[in-house]
Each structure stands twice: as structure tokens, then as C-alpha cells.
Amino acid sequence: MKGIVPLLLGIFGTLAFSWAGLILIPNYQIGHLDPQVDEDGNDPYPAPKSGMANRGRRIYAANGCVYCHSQQVRADYAGSDIDRKWGVRRSAPRDYLFERPVQLGQMRLGPDLSNVAKRAPGEEENAAPAASPTPAGPATPQASPATKPAPGASPSMPPATASAPPATSPAPSSSTAVAAASPSPAANAASTAGTADAAHGNPPLYTAAWHHRHLYSPRSLVLDSNMPNYHFLYEKRRITGERAADALKLDERDAVPEGWEVVPTYDAKCLVAYLMSLDQSHPLKEVKATAAPPSSAPATSPAAAASPAPAPTKEAK
Amino acid sequence: MTVPVATTAESDVTVRDVEYVERALIDASTRLPVLFFYGSAIAWLLLGTLLAGLTSWKLHAPDLLSNISFLTWGRLRPAHMNVMVYGWASMAGLGTAIWLMARLCRTTLRHPLLLIGAAAFWNLGVLLGVGGILAGDSTGYEWLEFPPYAAVVLFIAYSLVVSWAILMFRFRRGDHIYITQWYLLGAFLWFPWVYGAAQIMLFVVPVQGVMQAAVTWWFANNLLFLWFGAIGLGTAYYMIPKVIGRPVYSYHLAAVGFWTYALFASWTGMQRMVDGPFPAWMITASIAATILTVIPVATVGLNHHMTMRGYFGLLRYSPTLRFTVFGAISYTVFSLIGVVLSLRSMAGYVHFSEASVAYSHMGLYAFFTMTMFGSMYYIVPRLVGREWRYASLIKLHFWSSTYGVGLMVLMLLVGGLAQGVSLHDPTLPFTESTESILPYLRGRSVSGVLLTVAHVVFAFHFGLMLFGLGRTASVPTFLNPKEEEALEARL
């Protein structure tokens, strides 16, 4: 090599080029996104997570969940993610606005968790296919206000903006409050639908109770799972007075002695709160929605009903 | 008539003597810091191997030790990776780089004791980081799991090391800058930028949302290519010509290889996030850059091959050459596999599978670690003044490393493909994909046994050298008994 100066300039320039190209420009493009709102400034998505869920994300990161569970749904042409009902649409940068640390992951020794809070009974591949047919009583009425106003409003508005629910009350109840609302419809749906599970005394799929039980004893719920158990997030203690309300209902393989109970620690509750907040079903303007879920999953399942599947298609046009 | 002849002979001897003494002085000045870096690196290698064994075993025995919080799989895995990356690979690389820099700049290392301080700081940083991860303090960013307090310590240690390297370069003798020095200088200047930028953009002025993942993977691939890759390639460019005693085939090719490497390899980061939630152009650019790295791979490979041509017989004798050439070949294979894995049509299957773990191990083990072993077999005898004690142990080390890493990569690639194909078919239950890779994961654990043997044997052998129990001989330890005449004839 001729001299030191070209060498140093080249060393500097090549990395500067890559830094500008892969960090600075993308940061300019997608590094300063705002939550999406409708034309009235309502229905913001995504919303910041609750304090418990944020702490739960720390637990999730600290215990390395990301090394087995991704949180990104690829488009339908790029993989089977949507066919596996891990989401109704592909993930977009805006979905991760408030995520820190972001846990995209690049390994799937466990299922993708982007929408685990939204995944309804019967959509889990291990569950009996018969789990979904009974439409959940409370879920349908709750979801319908969100979908109904859209067609009604469209004549007066350009189609591009038509999809957003016009007014206040229905929208937040079904969309913004996902974190809070989703457990209840899911639980309701599951309690009616997941009767097969209930017969065994197992909690309905993807409810908070199910997550706790699954974290404590994965193989008691999913036979072939190779997830480790997280006993250290739970406390085994002697029952004093009354049995705690949140004590785990365990089957015989994990049975604790008479007079003892297993209760989640605060960390475990936060972790489950975080899992119950993972939901990317809200439509985004920049993402073309994939076609409605295949017929095997009836549109009456809470996930499909709560996310207005037809709406984003209209927006995209 | 007789007078001039005598003078020439006399001056010849003098020049050789001076060079010999000069090299000995330079080696002596690097002795303590380099041995300290090497010793620490090997200690971390043993710990990392233990963690790797647990990580691998627990994948097919998930309830093993799982009720102890700091031994849960999700903490052991990043602990293993960080011990290997920052403890073993970086420290071994730094040791080799310091020694090479001193040799190539033909200058003694000034104030070597301060470098020992730097190595101590580095050890402290890794210790804090690994302790933090196991205690549940991981940051959650892959390749950057060390909590910021550990990263700060690492950075201080690094600054000390790099100042020394740059100082040596400043006081170099002779105008010529050898190929190895380009790579080392690059590595020394790229690392602080890559590491510093990642730390700042994740913890000091954090970027938003998915940009964190972009920063993480930009960092991870640059650490792999511009730090480990550059040190590894630089070492190979020194060791291969040195051992066979023949100049590098082409300087021109080397320059092309270096600059295209710096240009393209630095753009490959987003290849790890194929079809992720990013603007498609970022990922496409990285895939294109990954494909373009074929150019530096081909030029470097060709250059090494042409240098070695006619001398491949020496692989029978020289441990350094054998390890280094294995590393150089692995670099080619690693890069080509990287190209295949990153193509969108292929990534649809293998993305999110164990194949990415195979890829990382090819880069960090089959290429970098083997090259470092090779350099240690060359450098350590020159530092301790003894030759390696047992040729049989070197052979055992080489073959168990080779078969170990070969088996591991094979298992993870084939298993990853099986896993990915099952994942890709939505009619199969998800657990089918984890079931389909289980046999391969067990096979990978078997490969871990081989690697453990290799590392323990090497650590034992290194320990012998360290305590002055090597052979006192003027000829290096050859892998196979060498008849001097036969070798001369071959040459």
C-alpha cells in the first residue's frame, strides 16, 4: 500500500458509508414514527403499554425468551406466518413504536408471539379443531360496533378515510383497550368453546391462567413442548388461611402437597401482563391487509371479529 | 581478493544476527501482555464450553436445572455467546493482533505492563457482563446482552489496547505497510465505532422501535466481519506466507480483496432480518452486499491458494499452517453459505431456524477460532522460549476441533433445513418443527463432546507451556516426524 493516508481514509469511509446507509437513512425514514390515529385524532395505535407490561418486557428480555420466540409476522408471500394464524397481517415498523428493548427475534423454537394476546381458542395448532365454532356471546356484540359504522359512514366520506369508526365510544372499547379488553372476550370465548380443555380442568388457551400454568409446567399443557419450566418465577408456599385466588391449578404431575399452593411472583404476573398485551391486529394504513383468515377459522372468533378485516383493504386503495 | 569476500561474509552474518536479536527483543517486549491475553482467553474458552454444553443439552432436556433462575436456558445461551465473543474470541484476537502489530511494525512494545492492565479491565468487563446476564440483567439485544456497566469497562479496556496498537504503528520502522497491517488497523479503528455507536444508539440516546434491531444487527454483523473477520484474515495473511517461507502471491489481489471486503461486508447486517418489519430496500441492500462479498472471498481465497500452491505438503507438519489453512478454507465456506442462507427464496425456509446458529458458528469457530489456534501455536513458543511438548496433543486438538465443528455445523444446517421446511408448511402443527430438529440437536450435543476434548487438551498444553514445561529444542514441534532431507527435497 502506498501511504497511510489513503488507508485511514478508506477504513473510515467504508464504515461511514455503511453507517449512513443502514443506520442514518433508515433512522430518518422509520426512526421517528408517531402512533396512527384516525382523522378525528382518536383511536391511536399503538398505545404505550401499562407499567406492569413494561416490566414484563424486562423479564422477557432478561430470561432470553427472544432466543426461541420471534415477534414478527412476515408477509403471506414470505412465509407461513399468516397461514399459521400468528397474525392477520404482516408486522410493520409502527407496531414496535414503544417497544424497548425491541424483541423481534430470529429463531422459532417456539411459536411467534406477535399476536399471542389476540390468538383465540381453536387457532392454536395443538388444540382440537372443534374449539372455535360456538361464537362467544360477549365478543360479538362488542366487536360489531367497530365494524358496523364503517360501511354506514362511507357514503359521506372518501373511502380512504371511511374505515375509522366515526365517534368515540365504540372505537376505544374495541381497539385501544385491547390490552384490557382482550382477556375478557378471549376468556369468555374460551370458556364456552374450550369445553374439551375444561373437562380436563385445564385453563382455556392463551388466557392469563393458561400462561401461568404453561410457564410453570409447559408439558402439562402442550405435550411436545420443549420449553423449560420457569419454576423460579413462582412461589411454592404453605396455605395460610384461605387458598390464594391466583394460585395455580396444577394437575397430578405437578401436584403440591396438601396444604401448599403455587402462586405467581410479581415478576410472573408482569410477564403474563406483557404477553397479554402483545397484539398487532389493529390495521395499519401502510400495511395491506391479507385476505380474511381462511374459512377454517370462522369470522366469529374474537380475533377475526375484533380486528375489522375488511376495513384496511379499503384504506389501502 | 580475500579481503572483500571476508567482509561480505562478515556483514551477512551481522545483518542476520541483528534481525534475529531484534525479533527476539520485540517478542520479549510483547511476552507478558500477549500471554496474559491468551491465558485469559483460554480460561474464558473453557467456561464458554461449559456454558455451551449446558445450553445445548437443555434444548433436548428442557427441565434440566430449570428451576434455578441463573441457569435457565434463556440466560445460559447469551452467557455462552458473550463469553465466547468477548471473552475468548476478542481476547485471543487482541493477543494475536498486538503481537503481529509489534512484529510488523518492527518496534518493541513500550510499557507492556499497561497492556496487562487493559487485559485485566477487559476480563473484569466480561466477568461483570456475564454475571449480569446470569443474574437477569441482560439488555435483551442479541450480541449486546452485556449490561451497560459492563460495556463501559470493556470500552475503557479497549481504548487502552487500541492506543497501544496505534502507538506501535506510529513508531513503525520502514515505509512498507504489510497486508496484515491493513486488516489490523481496520479492525482496531472499526471496533470502537461499531461498538460505541451501538451502545450509544441503544442506551444513551436510544433509537425508536425496530431501529434498535437494525442497530443490533448492523453491530453484530460488523463485529463478525470487521472485527473478527479482519483479525482472522490479517492473521492468515501473515501466518501462511511466514510458515511456508514465501511471499504472498499477489499484493494487487490482496488490495482488491481488502477494499471490497470493507465495502461489502459492512453492509450485510440486515441479512439477519430477511422479510422483517423494515423497509424492503434495507434488507435487499444487505442481501445484495452479502452476494457481493463473494468478490473478496474469491480474491482472498485465490491469493491464499496461489501462495500455498506447491506447498500443501507442509500441512502434514506444521500445526500453525494446518489450523490457519483450515480457517481460511472455512472462511470461504462460511461466506458462501451466508450467501445461500440470505437469499429470499432460501430464507423463506431457513430463516428462524437453527441454520443461523450454524452460520454464526462457522464464522466464529470454523474460521476465526481455528485461525487463532493456529496463530497461538506459532506465537506462544516464541514468547515462552519453549516448543510445544506433545505433537500427539496438537493432533488430538486439531482433529477433535475439526470433527467437532464439522459435525455441529452439519447438524445445525441439516436440522435447520428440516425445521424450516416443517415450519414453512402451515398444515403441520408447530410442534412438528421442533420435533423434527430434536435428533439434530442431540447430534449437536455429541459434537460438543468433541469440542470439549479439543479445548481441554489445548488448555492443558498451553498450561504446560506457560509453566515452562515445553520442550527445549531449536526446532519447532512438528505434527509428524519430519525427515529433514525429505522436506528439503519437497521444497
Side-chain angles (χ1 to χ4, degrees):
Chain A
M1 187 130 316
K2 289 277 167 13
I4 181 75
V5 176
L7 181 63
L8 289 180
L9 280 181
I11 287 172
F12 174 82
T14 43
L15 190 61
F17 182 46
S18 121
W19 191 56
L22 283 182
I23 304 291
L24 288 190
I25 296 174
N27 197 40
Y28 177 75
Q29 190 183 358
I30 55 167
H32 305 281
L33 299 171
D34 292 319
Q36 168 184 294
V37 290
D38 63 16
E39 73 277 12
D40 299 325
N42 293 320
D43 188 19
Y45 172 82
K49 291 196 195 311
S50 73
M52 266 182 100
N54 271 328
R55 187 184 152 109
R57 192 192 295 111
R58 298 283 345 151
I59 312 289
Y60 186 97
N63 291 297
C65 305
V66 71
Y67 303 111
C68 288
H69 294 281
S70 60
Q71 285 185 28
Q72 47 173 319
V73 177
R74 290 176 293 177
D76 51 355
Y77 54 80
S80 62
D81 307 8
I82 292 175
D83 288 338
R84 283 192 181 277
K85 312 210 183 55
W86 284 341
V88 289
R89 59 164 174 82
R90 66 169 298 174
S91 307
R94 205 184 297 275
D95 288 317
Y96 304 90
L97 215 58
F98 297 107
E99 294 291 312
R100 187 169 123 72
V102 72
Q103 299 283 292
L104 292 181
Q106 59 147 8
M107 173 64 76
R108 282 178 180 163
L109 282 176
D112 187 271
L113 298 180
S114 323
N115 287 288
V116 72
K118 265 296 178 194
R119 286 165 65 190
E123 300 199 350
E124 161 66 346
E125 41 285 345
N126 296 311
S132 58
T134 25
T140 324
Q142 214 199 9
S144 51
T147 41
K148 262 181 200 156
S154 57
S156 60
M157 279 180 244
T161 54
S163 70
T168 49
S169 65
S173 77
S174 71
S175 310
T176 24
V178 243
S182 66
S184 50
N188 285 329
S191 58
T192 49
T195 41
D197 266 352
H200 298 109
N202 292 344
L205 211 54
Y206 298 136
T207 55
W210 186 90
H211 281 305
H212 279 302
R213 167 86 177 273
H214 186 245
L215 283 166
Y216 186 81
S217 174
R219 270 159 296 287
S220 78
L221 290 173
V222 183
L223 203 60
D224 295 330
S225 165
N226 62 344
M227 179 171 124
N229 66 57
Y230 289 86
H231 283 192
F232 62 90
L233 288 175
Y234 292 83
E235 189 192 348
K236 190 172 155 189
R237 65 180 186 197
R238 199 180 280 280
I239 299 177
T240 49
E242 208 135 305
R243 189 182 143 90
D246 54 5
L248 302 194
K249 293 175 187 63
L250 300 166
D251 66 4
E252 60 278 0
R253 59 191 280 169
D254 307 297
V256 286
E258 197 65 38
W260 289 71
E261 62 183 357
V262 174
V263 290
T265 59
Y266 186 62
D267 280 353
K269 288 181 192 168
C270 290
L271 180 58
V272 170
Y274 174 62
L275 292 174
M276 297 306 287
S277 77
L278 292 175
D279 177 8
Q280 300 180 348
S281 60
H282 193 286
L284 278 181
K285 289 197 186 73
E286 62 266 34
V287 180
K288 209 172 94 210
T290 328
S295 54
S296 64
T300 43
S301 74
S307 67
T313 339
K314 242 184 272 167
E315 283 182 338
K317 281 172 185 154
Chain B
M1 200 55 195
T2 49
V3 175
V5 170
T7 326
T8 339
E10 200 182 321
S11 63
D12 271 0
V13 168
T14 318
V15 168
R16 282 186 65 180
D17 278 353
V18 166
E19 281 186 349
Y20 180 80
V21 170
E22 183 186 278
R23 273 206 298 274
L25 279 177
I26 291 171
D27 285 350
S29 74
T30 62
R31 182 167 178 255
L32 286 177
V34 172
L35 282 178
F36 191 42
F37 269 105
Y38 279 176
S40 320
I42 290 168
W44 288 119
L45 177 69
L46 292 180
L47 178 68
T49 310
L50 177 70
L51 293 171
L54 282 172
T55 309
S56 179
W57 202 265
K58 280 163 74 99
L59 268 178
H60 44 84
D63 279 336
L64 177 79
L65 300 173
S66 62
N67 40 11
I68 306 167
S69 66
F70 56 87
L71 291 182
T72 190
W73 190 82
R75 297 191 193 176
L76 284 175
R77 185 193 185 279
H80 151 67
M81 221 209 64
N82 283 278
V83 163
M84 288 308 199
V85 165
Y86 298 98
W88 153 249
S90 290
M91 291 200 85
L94 282 172
T96 298
I98 291 167
W99 186 86
L100 286 175
M101 208 59 164
R103 268 278 181 112
L104 288 167
C105 294
R106 294 175 59 204
T107 173
T108 52
L109 186 64
R110 291 164 178 79
H111 306 293
L113 289 181
L114 269 164
L115 267 184
I116 294 187
F121 261 104
W122 190 285
N123 278 320
L124 178 70
V126 179
L127 194 65
L128 278 177
V130 174
I133 290 174
L134 291 180
D137 237 356
S138 158
T139 63
Y141 298 110
E142 290 178 64
W143 291 67
L144 285 162
E145 287 93 344
F146 277 177
Y149 49 80
V152 169
V153 180
L154 273 189
F155 205 83
I156 295 173
Y158 181 76
S159 314
L160 276 172
V161 177
V162 76
S163 327
W164 254 241
I166 302 288
L167 268 181
M168 276 196 281
F169 193 72
R170 171 75 187 74
F171 289 114
R172 72 187 181 281
R173 301 222 320 267
D175 276 342
H176 186 70
I177 308 174
Y178 182 63
I179 308 165
T180 301
Q181 287 167 296
W182 315 341
Y183 279 101
L184 292 184
L185 211 58
F188 277 127
L189 295 177
W190 283 322
F191 181 84
W193 187 342
V194 170
Y195 196 65
Q199 293 288 335
I200 290 171
M201 298 187 87
L202 292 177
F203 305 114
V204 184
V205 275
V207 288
Q208 191 193 49
V210 289
M211 279 309 294
Q212 297 162 66
V215 170
T216 309
W217 290 113
W218 176 80
F219 165 80
N221 262 28
N222 278 341
L223 192 76
L224 190 54
F225 286 107
L226 296 189
W227 175 240
F228 295 122
I231 294 180
L233 289 177
T235 308
Y237 265 118
Y238 182 87
M239 290 300 167
I240 292 177
K242 191 81 182 170
V243 171
I244 64 176
R246 184 177 192 222
V248 165
Y249 171 70
S250 161
Y251 250 64
H252 186 68
L253 265 185
V256 173
F258 176 73
W259 289 118
T260 49
Y261 185 73
L263 194 61
F264 299 138
S266 59
W267 268 80
T268 56
M270 296 306 293
Q271 152 232 16
R272 308 282 195 125
M273 287 277 120
V274 176
D275 288 315
F278 297 92
W281 70 263
M282 288 170 73
I283 289 154
T284 307
S286 278
I287 296 175
T290 310
I291 297 170
L292 285 170
T293 52
V294 170
I295 297 170
V297 169
T299 44
V300 171
L302 182 69
N303 215 355
H304 286 326
H305 184 83
M306 296 307 280
T307 312
M308 281 290 291
R309 206 165 64 154
Y311 291 80
F312 280 100
L314 289 177
L315 288 174
R316 214 175 122 64
Y317 306 106
S318 164
T320 303
L321 198 63
R322 203 185 269 189
F323 276 96
T324 310
V325 167
F326 182 90
I329 294 172
S330 302
Y331 164 68
T332 307
V333 179
F334 156 71
S335 307
L336 295 181
I337 295 231
V339 172
V340 174
L341 292 184
S342 70
L343 298 176
R344 277 202 167 90
S345 47
M346 194 64 185
Y349 291 95
V350 294
H351 193 41
F352 298 117
S353 81
E354 290 280 344
S356 61
V357 181
Y359 177 68
S360 300
H361 278 96
M362 287 181 85
L364 273 174
Y365 198 98
F367 161 46
F368 185 76
T369 295
M370 292 299 265
T371 311
M372 283 306 110
F373 284 145
S375 71
M376 286 175 166
Y377 277 118
Y378 187 84
I379 295 171
V380 173
R382 285 162 176 77
L383 298 178
V384 300
R386 294 275 195 284
E387 294 299 332
W388 294 95
R389 181 94 236 171
Y390 302 108
S392 53
L393 287 191
I394 305 180
K395 266 197 268 192
L396 182 59
H397 175 201
F398 178 77
W399 289 113
S400 39
S401 274
T402 305
Y403 280 111
V405 73
L407 183 64
M408 160 151 50
V409 167
L410 194 70
M411 285 293 154
L412 291 179
L413 274 183
V414 179
L417 200 61
Q419 179 195 10
V421 168
S422 316
L423 259 179
H424 198 73
D425 182 353
T427 59
L428 292 176
F430 175 79
T431 45
E432 185 72 24
S433 70
T434 49
E435 289 287 297
S436 64
I437 197 174
L438 267 186
Y440 299 98
L441 292 176
R442 293 198 182 94
R444 194 258 299 260
S445 289
V446 173
S447 78
V449 176
L450 286 171
L451 292 175
T452 309
V453 169
H455 298 164
V456 169
V457 162
F458 180 61
F460 170 73
H461 215 179
F462 179 80
L464 287 186
M465 293 291 275
L466 214 53
F467 294 111
L469 296 171
R471 289 187 311 119
T472 45
S474 55
V475 287
T477 304
F478 294 112
L479 290 171
N480 292 299
K482 186 183 77 163
E483 300 83 29
E484 205 67 40
E485 305 82 5
L487 188 78
E488 291 298 327
R490 204 184 299 264
L491 291 176

